[in-house]
Amino acid sequence: MTHFGIKKLLVLVDLDQTLADFEGHFLEKYKEKYPGEPYIELKDRETFYIGDQYEQMEEGLSKKVKTIYTTEGFFRDLPPLEGACKAVLEMEEMDGVEVFICSSPLFQYKYSSKEKYEWVEHHLGKNWINKLILTRDKTMVTGNILIDDKVKVTGAVHPPAWTHIVFTACHNKHIRLRDKKRLDNWTDGSWRALIEDFKKRI
Ligand SMILES: Cc1cn([C@H]2C[C@H](OP(=O)(O)O)[C@@H](CO)O2)c(=O)[nH]c1=O
Ligand SMILES: [Mg+2]
């Protein structure tokens, strides 16, 4: 975006499994609610949608999986991933960088939409309510970078305005990416080098 001729790098950061621990929290709640049912360790997770892999394991399990993440409070109570909030707050403070959180609500939006606002307010601060973009189609959002754990982010616009950086997660770690960079964590400082690199390119 230009403001008096100065270009800002617009960074879109996904929420679930990029800032918030969707997978870890899911597994904890699933084991609590269904102690007799089989489950998949995080190291063995392979599909983006948790329900798909559980259904492959045993017919009918995806229904049980769904009861976990559609329960009131699930999205609100997601723990942040290590270093995620600190990194986003520091990124926003970098010269020439502006950050937005870009997240999809569930199709069953009843709790997830509201609770994503609550999560952002609680973990990042009230001002960040202005910076949360909720959409089921992230390709409709402009920006320079999208950091997102979903390997295939598709929608009405192709190619989208942003370059997709894949945030490494249990469900995507085994996938060989040919044309996309990864960000593996928020703790080793590599996010800063990545942002600096993109700043040079705009
Ligand atoms: C059903 C499901 C949703 N989600 C997340 C992705 C979306 O959030 P986000 O765009 O913040 O990553 C949201 C709606 O699908 O829930 C998973 O990460 N795994 C799942 O299995
Ligand atoms: Mg995500």
Side-chain angles (χ1 to χ4, degrees):
M1 195 172 71
T2 36
H3 186 60
F4 302 116
I6 301 163
K7 275 192 177 165
K8 274 206 168 198
L9 183 79
L10 297 178
V11 183
L12 306 168
V13 184
D14 169 46
L15 210 167
D16 298 320
Q17 214 50 42
T18 297
L19 297 179
D21 187 6
F22 188 102
E23 291 272 351
H25 193 61
F26 164 80
L27 188 54
E28 192 188 313
K29 295 289 167 193
Y30 176 87
K31 284 184 186 169
E32 255 172 52
K33 186 165 179 182
Y34 301 110
E37 296 292 353
Y39 62 88
I40 298 163
E41 298 278 7
L42 297 185
K43 66 173 175 45
D44 299 321
R45 281 276 299 114
E46 282 179 352
T47 61
F48 177 74
Y49 291 109
I50 297 177
D52 291 347
Q53 199 177 345
Y54 276 70
E55 191 65 26
Q56 282 166 23
M57 179 166 69
E58 191 178 299
E59 209 184 308
L61 271 190
S62 65
K63 280 210 182 77
K64 289 183 173 152
V65 165
K66 195 171 169 185
T67 67
I68 303 298
Y69 58 69
T70 52
T71 294
E72 184 171 8
F74 178 83
F75 283 88
R76 188 191 57 226
D77 295 343
L78 292 178
L81 288 170
E82 195 185 354
C85 296
K86 184 170 179 277
V88 162
L89 294 171
E90 285 180 20
M91 196 188 292
E92 176 67 2
E93 291 307 309
M94 286 172 78
D95 282 344
V97 178
E98 184 154 3
V99 182
F100 289 85
I101 310 299
C102 186
S103 177
S104 300
L106 289 177
F107 190 77
Q108 297 79 10
Y109 57 83
K110 187 170 176 188
Y111 303 121
S112 71
S113 297
K114 178 167 173 275
E115 291 182 11
K116 280 169 186 282
Y117 276 98
E118 290 170 345
W119 195 97
V120 163
E121 180 177 9
H122 181 72
H123 291 285
L124 296 171
K126 230 183 177 40
N127 291 346
W128 283 77
I129 292 170
N130 294 320
K131 294 185 152 284
L132 175 60
I133 301 165
L134 291 188
T135 175
R136 298 272 300 164
D137 187 342
K138 297 185 188 186
T139 72
M140 290 295 294
V141 182
T142 195
N144 300 106
I145 314 177
L146 171 72
I147 304 174
D148 198 304
D149 64 296
K150 191 175 189 181
V151 171
K152 289 188 182 133
V153 183
T154 52
V157 180
H158 42 104
W162 33 258
T163 300
H164 181 194
I165 307 291
V166 175
F167 192 78
T168 299
C170 57
H171 63 77
N172 71 31
K173 60 188 180 307
H174 58 284
I175 298 173
R176 273 257 296 279
L177 302 172
R178 264 185 293 161
D179 50 1
K180 284 176 191 169
K181 282 194 182 174
R182 279 180 181 273
L183 178 64
D184 287 332
N185 59 65
W186 294 110
T187 50
D188 69 4
S190 56
W191 67 265
R192 195 179 284 278
L194 182 100
I195 298 298
E196 290 293 357
D197 183 42
F198 271 92
K199 261 175 71 177
K200 284 183 215 145
R201 297 198 219 166
I202 59 160

